[in-house]
Structure formats: C-alpha cells, structure tokens
Amino acid sequence: MTSTSPALCCALLALAAACTPAPDASAKRDAPPGDEASSDGTSDDGGDGADGGEDPVDSADPEDSGDPPDGPWRSVLYPEDWAPGFGTPDLDIWDFSHAGYRGGADLPVIDATGAVSVLDHGADPTGTEDATAAIQAAIDAVAETGGVVRIPEGIYKVDGALRVSAHGTVLLGEGSGSSELWFTGSPDHGANLTFVGTPRATLSAALHSDAARWDTTVTVDAADWAPGDEVWIGIEITDDWRNEHSMELYWTFSAGQWRPFFRRTLTDVQTEGETQVLTLDVPLPYAIQVRDHARIERVDGYLHDVGIQGVGVSNATARDVAWAHSQVHAVAFDGVYDAFVQDLTSFAGPGGEDGMHLQSSGLLVRNSRQVTVADSRLGFSQHRGEGGNGYLFEVRVSNHVLVRDSTAEAGRHNFVQNWDFGTSELVFLRTHSIGGLAFTDEWDPSGVPACSETHHALAIALLVDSSTSDDCWKMVNRLVYSSGAGHTATESIFWNVGGTGGLSSLQYGRGGVIGTSPDTPVTTEVLDIYDSYRTAPEDWSEGLGLGATLDPPSLYEDQLARRRAGE
C-alpha cells in the first residue's frame, strides 16, 4: 500500500461517513472506505507504521444486553452456577483460569539457601566496572542443576548481554529498588537479559476432523504420543481462512504458512485401531478445520521453571542513540514454560537523559506458555516511534500468560499483544496504563495518544480484568497498519474496566464489555469503516457505568477459585 495525501485522506473519510450504510453482518463490502489513506508498516515483526492509536473519543451508547438492578449484579453470561461452556448464541465467556505460572498456581516462595551470589564471582555493586562476565558466571554456575542466583543490593553495570538457558534458574534480587541492573547495550530486536528455550516440533500429525471451541480431544493417526507430551495445535493461513474472516485484503504476512495457535499438554492417549484420540489439558478456544491443514505437533525444548524477582532494570541512553536502534527490550522470556516475573521495576539509570528509564521496550514474552508477570512497573521509554518501539509489557505468540497488579507508564503501547498469529488466553488483571504516546521522531515535542491494545493478527480469548486506563484500551480492526494487521481480537472480554481512558471493543465475530466505571468512554458501535470495518455484529455490552457493583469484581480470580474447588 502507498500513503495518501492528508487532503485526500480527509476527503475519503468524509465520503465514507456520508455514504456508508448501516452495518449489516450479512452484507460485507469488497474494500473498506478510507483504507487507501492508511500507511503500511514495514517491520517484519510488529512495527506500527502509522500508529492509528489515538484515544477513542466518539463513544457509542449501545443498548445494554441486560438491565442490572441497583446494588450488586451479575452478568447474564456469568450466573452463580456458571460452568465452562455456558453462554448464549451471542456470546459465551471463556474459562481464563488456566492463565499464569503452572496454570494459575501461586508464585513460588524462593528458598535462597545455597544460592550463588554474583558478588562471589566478582560483580561490582557500585556500577563502576562492567559486571557482565561476573553475573553470567554466576548464572552458569547453577546451570547443571538449576538454582538461585542472588543479586545483592547495589547497582550493576552490564555492558554485554546476559542469557539464562538452564531449567530451574531464578535471578533473585533484594527488591527492585535495591538490586538494580544498568544495561548499557542496544541489541536491536533483542534484549539485554534473555531467558531462552528452543521449542521445536519432534512429531507431527494431521487432524482427522475439525475441532470446535471447547473441544478437549483431537484424533490423529496412531504414533508415539504419550500423556505429558507438550504440544501445539495450529493451521495454515489459507485463502479460505482469510476470506472466512473477511481478511482477503489483509493477513498477507502469513498467507500460505502454517502457524501454531494453541499450546497444550496431553493428559490422555487412547488407541482405537490405527488412530489415537489425544486429550488436551485445556479446551480449544477457537474452531480449527482440516480444510486449513490443521495438525498437532509434539514440542520439545522449552525452558521451564525459571524466573526473576526483586530486580530493577534500566537501559536508557542518549536520546539519539535510543532512536538509532529498534525494539530493544530490557528483559525477554522466549520459548519458556512455567515462568514468572515479580517485582520488576524500571528506573532512571546513570546512562539516560531527562529521567527516562528505557531505550525502547520493557518486557517481552514470546513463544511461551503459562507465565505470570506480577507486581511490576515499567515506564518512561525514550524511543516511542514506528517499527515496534515503546512496548512496555509485550506478549507475542504465547498462551496462558497472566499480567497482574502491574503499571505501565509513558510507553507507546503500554500493554500489548503483538506480531503474528498464535496468542490466546492472555489475562491482564488489575493493571494500570497511563501516558501512552506515539512520536514521529526524536524531535517530536508532544506525540499523539496511543493505546494499550491487541496489535496484530487475531488474538483469541483475551481478558482485561479489573484494570484501569488513563490513556486508552482497544481491540479493533487495524486494517493495513503494521503490515496489514487486520482484525486483532475475537472472543475477548473487558470485565470491570475503569479509568478516564477510552475503551474500544470492535472485535471480529464476538466480544464483550461487561461493567465499566462511569467515567470510562466506551465504543462498540459498528460503522463498518476504519477500525470497525467488518466487525459486525456489535460487541456485547452490559452494565456500562456499573462496574463498581459487578459481582464478582474479578472474573479471572472467581473462575480460578471455582476450578480449584472442583479439583
């Protein structure tokens, strides 16, 4: 796509607004009005292109799907006797309780007995000498059996990159305000500290039949499958699948390629002649079809039972240096399973300018499952320009990630799902987003508002729960932005969301907003242009302005308690 002049852009917008008929789920147009005016991103892993992230201020006033009484009320989709699978043809609520470390388990209490201290390997706690080799030596010292690496109080200058690749390794500080890692490097499309596994398929089988939402079994040719196998299930991004989602003009970045969507564990294998019925630990949240070459693969190589706790991080540098690099994360978890981050906080390090904390992005979780990020605060990014920068809490192609009790401030997209297909069952619980801004270049004096959002390629069954925003949150059709991101969410729920920031829920197929604060502007109206293009029917809305009396206050925590009680 090529960009269009501002004057023509305005003319197209006016024409589209004047000529577009009322939205009709059965009457889809061939091309979205105004699409020609969008800028096409060029990053191969989630760059913004034009941001299109401004605070939604033209709020809809849709008819509520219920009429909650004064005082405590429950959603009609979540009665007291709710069980997984309950719902209406308009919407059902997914069981989000499996999100997080070990499928929703409490975070471990770290036993530091026998821990290896970075000081024992010569790390300088004053920030004067480079501590990279010493800290890496401490990490390597526990690699054979796993263990705790202690980072005592101090500031540690890290000029190189740190890497954790052994199971059971935990980096333990004395609190994010006491134990601080000051990174001076600028690894483009990388991270200063990476926990990294190498998940790869070792056995593959085509599905014999389609699988529906809530299904827990798939049938394949008999092979060496066994309970306990880690697997992923996926499809090819076929033309049929794209057309089915009204994305024939979009999603070209993965067209014709196979993508893993859902990461699971086998709990049972039953052989029936020349076939086997494989039972999954968690149901599938979205239908997959044999037509799209659906298959299941056994996966080996995840890094598991790793974490970081009580550590501060900074990699801010000179402003021009920050803008000369792209997608520099402070910490990344890549290819991990059963992992955790707790009390990770950014700070204004010695190398930065104007009190900034981070060069570009904060924490990345990618190609992973069952990760909890808790009690953390990241913010004040220098590079918040195009190309995937300024993402503070970022999740890519992962399942069952829980981000809770955390704050993101002064990034571009503060909380964000990003590049390519394969993210589902992601939960944001009691998060707060503030000050999201997008900048055109390093000299832009003010920027424009930008949102926490689903950013790319149909995230499935996400939950924003008991969270607040003073900038904005959105799940919409992003059309050609970010290399044709198109529809970015489906089957996702905003539950008891507050704050003065706008909320836009314009999801493909089904989605919902249940309970908000009175001062939260909400947009669900389908105009069938721009970010609501082909998103009919309108998302479910219920109890707008009545979030304070919604019962339960947290959907995730109530579902988790129900599941634990039944185990």
Side-chain angles (χ1 to χ4, degrees):
M1 295 284 180
T2 58
S3 60
T4 307
S5 71
L8 180 56
C9 178
C10 294
L12 287 167
L13 179 57
L15 178 63
C19 299
T20 302
D24 181 351
S26 64
K28 299 299 187 181
R29 301 142 84 97
D30 293 331
D35 185 52
E36 302 90 335
S38 300
S39 297
D40 192 358
T42 57
S43 170
D44 62 357
D45 55 354
D48 288 289
D51 188 75
E54 49 279 343
D55 190 342
V57 294
D58 185 15
S59 302
D61 185 20
E63 179 180 348
D64 277 4
S65 304
D67 186 18
D70 294 337
W73 62 278
R74 298 187 71 94
S75 168
V76 298
L77 299 176
Y78 198 71
E80 290 195 29
D81 61 350
W82 178 87
F86 173 85
T88 74
D90 295 321
L91 186 64
D92 59 33
I93 290 179
W94 188 247
D95 181 3
F96 297 99
S97 68
H98 299 273
Y101 171 78
R102 295 193 175 179
D106 294 336
L107 292 185
V109 177
I110 306 302
D111 182 2
T113 303
V116 173
S117 171
V118 299
L119 297 181
D120 294 340
H121 288 266
D124 172 19
T126 70
T128 303
E129 300 295 331
D130 178 21
T132 306
I135 297 174
Q136 188 64 56
I139 293 170
D140 295 343
V142 303
E144 186 172 343
T145 59
V148 177
V149 176
R150 286 188 61 247
I151 305 175
E153 182 176 0
I155 182 169
Y156 300 85
K157 182 184 179 187
V158 181
D159 294 334
L162 298 174
R163 182 182 178 93
V164 176
S165 56
H167 305 307
T169 302
V170 175
L171 305 188
L172 179 65
E174 296 185 9
S176 59
S178 299
S179 301
E180 297 179 326
L181 299 178
W182 165 33
F183 300 111
T184 63
S186 302
D188 287 292
H189 300 265
N192 302 112
L193 166 62
T194 305
F195 293 75
V196 60
T198 55
R200 61 198 178 279
T202 57
L203 178 64
S204 180
L207 270 59
H208 281 198
S209 58
D210 297 345
R213 178 173 164 94
W214 296 108
D215 278 0
T216 57
T217 62
V218 296
T219 302
V220 298
D221 287 342
D224 189 26
W225 302 99
D229 284 350
E230 299 300 330
V231 298
W232 53 38
I233 302 170
I235 60 170
E236 181 183 315
I237 309 304
T238 62
D239 289 345
D240 285 339
W241 195 76
R242 290 166 59 212
N243 294 342
E244 184 176 82
H245 290 78
S246 301
M247 290 283 101
E248 57 270 17
L249 300 179
Y250 309 102
W251 292 351
T252 57
F253 48 83
S254 289
Q257 301 179 58
W258 192 87
R259 291 288 183 260
F261 272 61
F262 310 118
R263 293 153 183 82
R264 297 293 190 263
T265 305
L266 297 187
T267 59
D268 187 51
V269 177
Q270 293 294 323
T271 301
E272 300 178 357
E274 295 182 353
T275 66
Q276 288 179 317
V277 178
L278 312 181
T279 301
L280 312 172
D281 61 334
V282 180
L284 298 175
Y286 207 63
I288 56 175
Q289 300 181 60
V290 172
R291 176 200 69 189
D292 303 313
H293 309 136
R295 69 176 188 259
I296 183 170
E297 296 184 334
R298 183 171 63 205
V299 182
D300 294 334
Y302 282 110
L303 178 68
H304 61 80
D305 294 289
V306 293
I308 183 170
Q309 183 184 91
V311 176
V313 292
S314 176
N315 63 7
T317 183
R319 181 174 59 178
D320 61 333
V321 174
W323 277 84
H325 296 273
S326 187
Q327 296 189 36
V328 178
H329 291 81
V331 180
F333 284 72
D334 198 344
V336 304
Y337 182 89
D338 285 340
F340 63 90
V341 177
Q342 188 173 30
D343 186 23
L344 180 73
T345 300
S346 62
F347 69 97
E353 297 177 351
D354 304 321
M356 304 304 279
H357 297 184
L358 300 168
Q359 285 185 44
S360 171
S361 298
L363 173 68
L364 171 65
V365 178
R366 177 169 54 196
N367 198 17
S368 298
R369 184 189 177 202
Q370 294 187 180
V371 179
T372 292
V373 180
D375 310 311
S376 296
R377 186 180 185 110
L378 300 174
F380 303 99
S381 171
Q382 294 174 296
H383 187 351
R384 288 182 266 176
E386 294 181 4
N389 294 287
Y391 299 177
L392 298 180
F393 291 83
E394 179 180 3
V395 180
R396 302 185 191 178
V397 292
S398 297
N399 310 120
H400 298 130
V401 177
L402 169 65
V403 181
R404 67 163 176 85
D405 301 297
S406 295
T407 297
E409 182 173 4
R412 183 183 179 99
H413 302 304
N414 287 339
F415 296 98
V416 62
Q417 167 274 338
N418 200 9
W419 184 265
D420 218 338
F421 297 98
T423 295
S424 70
E425 302 141 296
L426 166 60
V427 175
F428 295 97
L429 172 64
R430 289 187 299 272
T431 61
H432 181 58
S433 179
I434 183 172
L437 291 173
F439 292 83
T440 56
D441 56 44
E442 63 180 294
W443 306 113
D444 184 345
S446 57
V448 297
C451 300
S452 292
E453 64 181 24
T454 49
H455 193 70
H456 211 272
L458 202 68
I460 297 169
L462 272 59
L463 172 64
V464 181
D465 185 353
S466 308
S467 292
T468 56
S469 165
D470 290 328
D471 35 38
C472 44
W473 248 109
K474 66 179 186 179
M475 300 184 186
V476 303
N477 184 351
R478 298 190 64 239
L479 300 171
V480 300
Y481 295 117
S482 298
S483 303
H487 293 303
T488 63
T490 187
E491 301 287 355
S492 298
I493 301 291
F494 290 96
W495 180 278
N496 192 18
V497 175
T500 58
L503 184 161
S504 291
S505 185
L506 300 165
Q507 302 179 46
Y508 170 78
R510 307 190 307 175
V513 181
I514 301 174
T516 63
S517 64
D519 57 349
T520 301
V522 176
T523 299
T524 58
E525 183 179 8
V526 176
L527 300 176
D528 213 25
I529 59 172
Y530 290 99
D531 53 9
S532 71
Y533 179 67
R534 293 185 175 179
T535 63
E538 182 174 342
D539 286 352
W540 177 283
S541 61
E542 184 180 7
L544 303 187
L546 299 173
T549 53
L550 175 59
D551 183 28
S554 167
L555 175 63
Y556 169 80
E557 291 184 325
D558 189 79
Q559 289 181 328
L560 181 60
R562 289 169 183 260
R563 181 164 64 85
R564 286 177 171 177
E567 289 178 345

